[in-house]
Amino acid sequence: MAAPTGITAGLINLLDVFIIAASVGIFVAKVGRFPYTIALLLAGLAVSILGLNIDITLTHDLILLVLLPPLLFEGAATTDLDSFRENLVPILVLAVPGLIVSILVLGVLGHYAFGYPLLLATLFAAMILPTDPVSVLALFEELGAPERLSVLVEGESLLNDGVGVVVFSALFLLVKDSIENNTELSELITPKVLVNTGLEIIVASLGGLIVGLAAGYLIYRVMINLDEHMTEIVLTLILAYGSFLLAEHYLHVSGVIATVTAGLLIGNRGAEYAMSPQTKISVFNTWDTAAFLVNTLIFVLIGAKTPIHQMVNNWQLIAIAIVLTIFVRAVTVYPFTAAVNRFGRRDIPFSYQHVMIWGGLHASIPIALVLGLPSDFPHIGELRSMVFGVAAFSLVVQGLTMSNLLDRLGIITRTETEELYELLLGRARAVDSALDAAERLHNRGDLPGDVYDDFRGEYENEKDDLNTTISRLLRENPGLRREELLVGERRVLKQEKSAIMDAMHSGVISDDIGERLLQEVDLKLDRVDTGQSTVRDDPDNEAYEEFWRARASEYGLDSTPSND
């Protein structure tokens, strides 16, 4: 029988990957708490060591054009926009100036440690230092890391890839020019080149942001006037790949930032205003499945295509690269985070900073960049060995020890109580949505009165039971209750702030009164950020005395209710 070729051979190889993945999934289910993605990587490494052949070529285009957009989109779409905005300053500081400084530092250190020209060492730094959203998102979701820590690490990893790819592209052109024209580094790195590179980073980042907003808003406007969940799934698929390709290959700006921006918009505003309950379920289930399948493929292939023999020959360079990468990550995160803490309202604790350093995983993006280098590039074998070596170390060693690090630092991951609370809260929201849907159907005449009464009675009984259970769970777990109180209070205060600003803009209140009210809301937010609630827990005592009460009292009006 002739060996299969073409599509048949491709399907057989793809089936091999998913047979490996299914075996790993069964193993993880039996063993228990073991990160699925890391188990996939280890299985792929075993395939590489045993010399088994999976004839799917892991290429630069396969990773960046096929596998990365859905992972970026799904990660951004499931990120809470309010939490992202609250932590935007530290995320941007680490993702832009923090990354650029770390690339320069590693470039200088690598120049001496590897014996490479400074420009080539800096190019390696630009390849390896961007933290990988594919790896970080998968790992933190599996570990159930605290929400703010997840947002910080995931947010940075989602944004710094765009900056890293732009810096890498600029450096690659300089290295290529240096090789082709035999030009000295000092002749290439001029103030003009530095300014142009800086402008290129800004233009690429802002351009990606604008493309993501425009594409996301266009799809949002279509979806808001549509109620057909299968079509809306296709629209989000077009958005994920279309925003990336439009930005990266037609407008030459950051496709990563474009896709992340589009995902944030459609996953938050789009989900709230443009999707029916059925559409939300269909869209997010589809993207969750797509992300799982793509993660499965990419982690198995990274392991299976790791050049083991080449890495053994270059183990000393790999060891140096691993140490320098972690060291540079530390000397960047600590000072930049300290600066953010000094000027920000909400500190990032040292325990979180330690995790941000150790949790800065490197895999698919660095591998895609190094695979994009031409085969005759200087030190290409060593560069590929170092990139794959650092990726393997970060995923296996750092990934497997992440749970222990969180435990040692006293960072509480999602407990059984919190999982139960999430389950109850999710079901309560589903019941509320079902009641609203039943009422709309009844009002349109699509649901007979007797049937509607049965629906309403069943769901209202379940809602009462859920509310009772949630209240009891919060009473028995005061720590959880307080955390939920502070989270809810922060969101309510932000709505207060928005309402005051709207009143100022529409002329309902004057600017001086509005500024005074805004100042008070900011004071409340400061207290909430330090863990102090402004909501009374004693019926006889106010937790926070609003200034309007004092003004009303001065005017002769008593704000306390009468007993008459």
Side-chain angles (χ1 to χ4, degrees), residues 419-435 457-475:
E419 288 183 0
L420 175 59
Y421 178 71
E422 288 181 17
L423 172 66
L424 296 174
L425 204 62
R427 182 56 193 165
R429 289 190 178 186
V431 167
D432 285 337
S433 180
L435 284 169
E458 175 67 24
Y459 279 112
E460 284 181 347
N461 286 336
E462 185 179 359
K463 184 176 180 179
D464 291 340
D465 293 342
L466 282 165
N467 289 336
T468 301
T469 306
I470 290 172
S471 297
R472 182 179 174 186
L473 183 66
L474 291 176
R475 281 198 309 271

Side-chain angles (χ1 to χ4, degrees), residues 112-378:
Y112 295 104
F114 306 135
Y116 292 167
L118 181 58
L119 199 56
L120 187 60
T122 308
L123 182 74
F124 168 73
M127 275 192 292
I128 201 62
L129 283 174
T131 53
D132 185 6
V134 177
S135 315
V136 175
L137 288 167
L139 182 64
F140 272 68
E141 184 176 345
E142 289 173 22
L143 292 178
E147 181 186 11
R148 189 178 183 221
L149 178 59
S150 295
V151 169
L152 287 168
V153 177
E154 294 170 5
E156 181 196 357
S157 69
L158 285 168
L159 295 186
N160 69 9
D161 288 306
V163 178
V165 170
V166 173
V167 174
F168 169 83
S169 301
L171 290 171
F172 174 72
L173 292 176
L174 289 175
V175 173
K176 188 177 178 183
D177 187 29
S178 175
I179 295 168
E180 291 176 352
N181 301 314
N182 197 23
T183 309
E184 293 294 329
L185 177 64
S186 58
E187 297 178 32
L188 290 172
I189 304 298
T190 63
K192 182 179 179 181
V193 169
L194 293 175
V195 170
N196 288 340
T197 302
L199 288 174
E200 190 176 342
I201 293 171
I202 293 170
V203 169
S205 301
L206 291 179
L209 178 68
I210 292 169
V211 169
L213 285 173
Y217 184 73
L218 176 64
I219 296 298
Y220 166 76
R221 292 306 308 174
V222 174
M223 290 175 66
I224 204 169
N225 296 311
L226 187 68
D227 188 15
E228 215 299 300
H229 64 276
M230 299 303 290
T231 303
E232 291 178 75
I233 291 173
V234 175
L235 287 172
T236 59
L237 183 68
I238 293 171
L239 179 60
Y241 280 102
S243 58
F244 189 92
L245 291 171
L246 177 63
E248 194 75 31
H249 290 275
Y250 292 99
L251 301 178
H252 304 294
V253 294
S254 175
V256 172
I257 293 176
T259 303
V260 168
T261 304
L264 282 169
L265 192 153
I266 213 71
N268 287 272
R269 185 175 180 85
E272 185 173 357
Y273 298 109
M275 296 185 194
S276 66
Q278 175 63 46
T279 300
K280 285 182 190 177
I281 294 170
S282 300
V283 167
F284 284 102
N285 281 349
T286 299
W287 280 105
D288 187 47
T289 303
F292 175 79
L293 292 175
V294 172
N295 263 324
T296 296
L297 184 63
I298 198 168
F299 278 97
V300 172
L301 288 180
I302 286 175
K305 299 302 178 179
T306 297
I308 298 294
H309 299 298
Q310 199 175 58
M311 288 169 61
V312 170
N313 294 334
N314 294 292
W315 70 269
Q316 291 174 311
L317 284 174
I318 294 172
I320 294 171
I322 290 169
V323 172
L324 288 182
T325 300
I326 297 173
F327 172 75
V328 170
R329 175 81 177 153
V331 299
T332 304
V333 168
Y334 287 131
F336 275 89
T337 307
V340 170
N341 285 347
R342 182 172 182 180
F343 297 104
R345 292 191 316 179
R346 193 178 180 194
D347 283 0
I348 300 173
F350 266 118
S351 58
Y352 279 24
Q353 295 176 44
H354 302 329
V355 175
M356 290 162 70
I357 292 166
W358 197 245
L361 307 184
H362 317 272
S364 58
I365 297 294
I367 288 172
L369 294 178
V370 79
L371 289 175
L373 295 176
S375 58
D376 59 347
F377 197 78

Side-chain angles (χ1 to χ4, degrees), residues 227 276-277 436-449 452:
D227 188 15
S276 66
D436 291 340
E439 184 176 359
R440 286 196 303 271
L441 290 170
H442 175 61
N443 291 337
R444 289 205 313 245
D446 295 336
L447 200 64
Y452 170 65

Side-chain angles (χ1 to χ4, degrees), residues 381-393:
E382 294 175 353
L383 289 173
R384 286 187 177 177
S385 296
M386 288 193 293
V387 168
F388 272 91
V390 172
F393 179 87

